[in-house]
Amino acid sequence: MCLWRNSTYELDTFAPSVLHPIAMIEIPIHLLASYIVIFKTPPTMTSVKWMMVFMHFCSAFLDLFLSALSTQYYLVPVFGGYMRGILTDLGVSSIIQGHMFIVSICVAGVSILGFFESRYNAIVKRNRGSIFKTKGRLLYIVLHYTYAFCFTLPLLFYPLDQEEGRRFVKEALPCVPHSIIDHPDFYLFIDKPYILAIYYGMTATVFEIEAIYYFTRTALYLSSNKAKSQRTYKLQVQFFIALTFQIMIPLCVLILPIVYLITAFITKHFDQIANNIALNFLALHGLTSSTVMLIVHKPYREAVINIFRLRYICNRKPAISVSEQSIMAVSSVVVIQRVSRVSHRI
C-alpha cells in the first residue's frame, strides 16, 4: 500500500521544524540530569552511579543525534532516505549517518540491558565487585557492545548501485514524488528491506528476552524478602521500583515507533506522515528518560527542588534588600526631622 496525501507533514521539512526546537529544550534538561547524577548521587547509590551516567549519556546522545545532528527522513518500507542536520552540513555521508542512527539505538538498548544485568548480579547473585574484575561478565558486556557497534557494518562494505536503487524505489513507491527520490543525498541501503527488518527484529527480541529474564529474577528475589536486613531490603525495593519506572516509561517511547517501523517493513505499508511521526518519537526517548529519572529517584528529586528553591531565594534577595533600604531611609528621615525640631526648640 502506497499512500501520499501531498501534505506538509510528509515533507523533509517537517522533522526539522519539530525536532530542532525540541533540541533546545533537551540540552538544558540533559545537562541538569548529568549534573545531578554526577554530583548529587547519595552514598547509597554509589555502586550504580557511573552506570546511570553512561545510560543517561546514551539516551541523551540518541536524542540530540536525531533532533539536531542527523534529522532522519526515511521512506519506510524501503530502507532509503536522507538526513537534514548538522552532520549533513559538515559533509558526512548518508550511509555513515544511517549506521550511526542504528548503532545509537542499539547501544541505548544495550545500556538498559546492562543496567538490569548489573542489578541482577548485585542483588540476586550478590556479586558486588567491579565488572572489570569478573571475566565472565566483562566478556558478556564487551560482546554485546561489540555487536551493537558492528552489526550494521555489512551495509558499509557492500553498497548498492544508487541509480538502480532509485529506480527500485520509484517502482516500489509509485506515489512518492520523484523529486524526493532524486534528491542528491538520497541513499538506498538495501533492496530487500524485509531481510533487514527480520534481522533487527530478531536482535531486539533477543535483547528483550535477556532484559525480561534479569528483571523477572530480580523482582522474584526481592518479593521473597531474602535481603540481609529490612533496611537493605527496603532500599533495594525502592530503588528497583524507581529504576523500573525510569527505564520502562522511556522504553515505551522507543519501542512503539520501532514496532511500527518493523511492521511497515514486513507488511510493505507506506505512510510518510506515520514514518515522520515515528522517527520524531524516537527523538523523545532521552528527554523522557532524563525527566523520569529526576522525578522517580527521591535523592535526585530533592536535589532538583533544592536547586530551584535556592535560585528562587536568590532572585528574591534584591527585592528584600530594596525594601529594607526604603524602610531605613524613611526611618532616617523621621529621626533627622525629630532631631532638628528638638535642636530648634533649644
Side-chain angles (χ1 to χ4, degrees):
M1 179 180 178
C2 187
L3 179 62
W4 188 267
R5 304 180 181 87
N6 291 318
S7 170
T8 56
Y9 300 109
E10 295 171 308
L11 302 179
D12 58 1
T13 55
F14 172 68
S17 66
V18 174
L19 296 181
H20 290 177
I22 290 178
M24 303 304 294
I25 300 174
E26 292 173 345
I27 291 174
I29 293 179
H30 290 323
L31 290 176
L32 174 63
S34 300
Y35 170 79
I36 294 295
V37 175
I38 294 174
F39 297 104
K40 300 296 181 180
T41 297
T44 54
M45 295 172 61
T46 302
S47 61
V48 298
K49 174 180 176 179
W50 293 110
M51 187 163 287
M52 290 190 72
V53 170
F54 182 72
M55 186 170 64
H56 168 67
F57 171 80
C58 292
S59 299
F61 179 81
L62 176 62
D63 265 17
L64 297 176
F65 180 80
L66 292 176
S67 58
L69 296 177
S70 179
T71 306
Q72 310 291 306
Y73 184 73
Y74 284 114
L75 300 179
V76 178
V78 299
F79 193 16
Y82 52 93
M83 298 78 184
R84 296 190 59 185
I86 296 174
L87 293 179
T88 301
D89 296 335
L90 294 176
V92 180
S93 65
S94 295
I95 188 169
I96 296 297
Q97 293 187 55
H99 174 71
M100 294 175 64
F101 169 51
I102 301 299
V103 166
S104 299
I105 295 177
C106 196
V107 170
V110 173
S111 69
I112 294 173
L113 172 63
F115 211 108
F116 277 123
E117 186 270 344
S118 173
R119 290 293 83 205
Y120 166 77
N121 277 278
I123 296 175
V124 179
K125 301 185 73 174
R126 297 186 178 181
N127 181 13
R128 306 182 192 280
S130 171
I131 189 174
F132 297 103
K133 297 180 180 179
T134 308
K135 294 181 180 179
R137 289 188 62 205
L138 181 60
L139 179 63
Y140 172 84
I141 295 297
V142 168
L143 288 176
H144 276 71
Y145 279 106
T146 301
Y147 179 79
F149 278 99
C150 298
F151 82 120
T152 58
L153 286 181
L155 297 179
L156 299 177
F157 296 137
Y158 301 99
L160 294 173
D161 180 86
Q162 291 306 302
E163 291 301 324
E164 293 184 3
R166 285 185 170 87
R167 286 195 293 269
F168 167 78
V169 175
K170 290 175 182 177
E171 293 175 1
L173 302 176
C175 63
V176 178
H178 288 185
S179 59
I180 294 176
I181 303 173
D182 292 331
H183 190 281
D185 294 327
F186 186 90
Y187 193 92
L188 182 68
F189 294 87
I190 190 171
D191 57 355
K192 296 180 175 61
Y194 63 90
I195 296 178
L196 204 61
I198 295 173
Y199 178 45
Y200 289 167
M202 291 175 60
T203 299
T205 301
V206 171
F207 285 176
E208 185 178 353
I209 291 173
E210 291 184 72
I212 291 174
Y213 171 79
Y214 293 131
F215 173 82
T216 304
R217 287 292 306 274
T218 306
L220 290 174
Y221 178 85
L222 290 175
S223 64
S224 65
N225 195 6
K226 295 179 180 178
K228 292 182 178 180
S229 66
Q230 285 300 314
R231 182 178 179 276
T232 302
Y233 171 74
K234 183 178 180 181
L235 291 174
Q236 288 177 341
V237 170
Q238 288 177 346
F239 178 74
F240 187 73
I241 292 175
L243 177 65
T244 300
F245 279 108
Q246 177 190 344
I247 292 177
M248 290 304 178
I249 294 176
L251 201 58
C252 292
V253 178
L254 194 63
I255 287 178
L256 292 178
I258 289 178
V259 169
Y260 164 76
L261 293 173
I262 292 176
T263 304
F265 274 121
I266 296 174
T267 61
K268 299 182 180 180
H269 173 76
F270 176 81
D271 186 343
Q272 193 56 30
I273 292 181
N275 293 341
N276 287 342
I277 292 175
L279 291 170
N280 287 355
F281 256 90
L282 291 176
L284 298 177
H285 169 262
L287 178 63
T288 308
S289 178
S290 296
T291 305
V292 173
M293 179 182 68
L294 295 176
I295 293 174
V296 298
H297 293 287
K298 185 178 179 180
Y300 297 160
R301 183 171 64 247
E302 292 177 346
V304 173
I305 293 173
N306 290 335
I307 289 174
F308 284 99
R309 182 183 298 163
L310 180 62
R311 184 170 182 178
Y312 174 76
I313 293 174
C314 292
N315 290 336
R316 295 265 304 181
K317 278 185 177 181
I320 295 174
S321 60
V322 168
S323 61
E324 289 177 348
Q325 291 176 6
S326 301
I327 294 173
M328 292 176 63
V330 173
S331 301
S332 300
V333 171
V334 172
V335 171
I336 292 172
Q337 288 177 348
R338 290 182 178 179
V339 170
S340 63
R341 288 175 185 174
V342 171
S343 61
H344 180 70
R345 290 176 184 175
I346 295 174

